[in-house]
Every structure is written in C-alpha cells, then in structure tokens.
Amino acid sequence: MAQDSESTPSAPGHRPVPPLPRRLADPTPVVLFGTALWFAGVVLFGIRDWASIQFWTCLAGGVLGIIGYGVFRWQRSAARRGSRGAWKGLSGLDG
C-alpha cells in the first residue's frame, strides 16, 4: 500500500485522484451527529414509553456511539504520537 506522500502508479491517460478535502475526510461531525440522533431517540421514546424496545435500542446506540468516538479519539492520538500499533494514513486529519 502506498504511503500518503507517495504517488500511486496509474494507467496511461488517467489522471490521479486528488485527496479529499479535510472537511469531507474528517469523520468527527458524522459520528457526533449520529450519536446525537440516537440520544434524540432516547428522549423521544423515553417520553412516550421508557420500557419500549425503541427506547432501549436508542440508548444502546447512543452508548455505543460514545464508546466508538472514544476509540476513534484514542487511535487518532496514538497516530499523532507515532505509536507502532496506530492507524496509518491519518496524517491529513491531524489537527
């Protein structure tokens, strides 16, 4: 796999694909918005009937969203530190 700074070989006559802009490559807004939607469902279904399956599903989705965001931040900080086990290719997202 090519590193971020290396160019990948392409077939003759094809232009290389440009990198995504930072605002489109950053998953943080999507993760936070999705987690907020799960908690909006918690509020909605909590008002109607807190014992319903929809309430508990939304609560589980919100909690898993928070856990997933924590893992994402942990991996990003490991990539910034240069840890061996960190994800590769996050250099464009480092702030």
Side-chain angles (χ1 to χ4, degrees), residues 12-77:
H14 288 96
R15 295 184 302 172
V17 177
L20 282 174
R22 179 182 169 89
R23 67 180 182 84
L24 294 178
D26 187 15
T28 302
V30 175
V31 172
L32 293 178
F33 183 71
T35 303
L37 285 178
W38 281 115
F39 282 116
V42 168
V43 171
L44 174 72
F45 292 116
I47 291 171
R48 289 179 52 206
D49 180 20
W50 68 270
S52 69
I53 189 72
Q54 292 91 352
F55 171 79
W56 293 107
T57 301
C58 290
L59 184 63
V63 168
L64 288 174
I66 289 173
I67 292 170
Y69 185 69
V71 170
F72 169 72
R73 295 293 297 181
W74 184 25
Q75 282 288 332
R76 185 177 277 184
S77 68

Side-chain angles (χ1 to χ4, degrees), residues 72-94:
F72 169 72
R73 295 293 297 181
W74 184 25
Q75 282 288 332
R76 185 177 277 184
S77 68
R80 287 181 182 150
R81 283 192 316 268
S83 294
R84 284 189 332 173
W87 288 338
K88 304 294 184 219
L90 294 177
S91 61
L93 298 178
D94 293 339

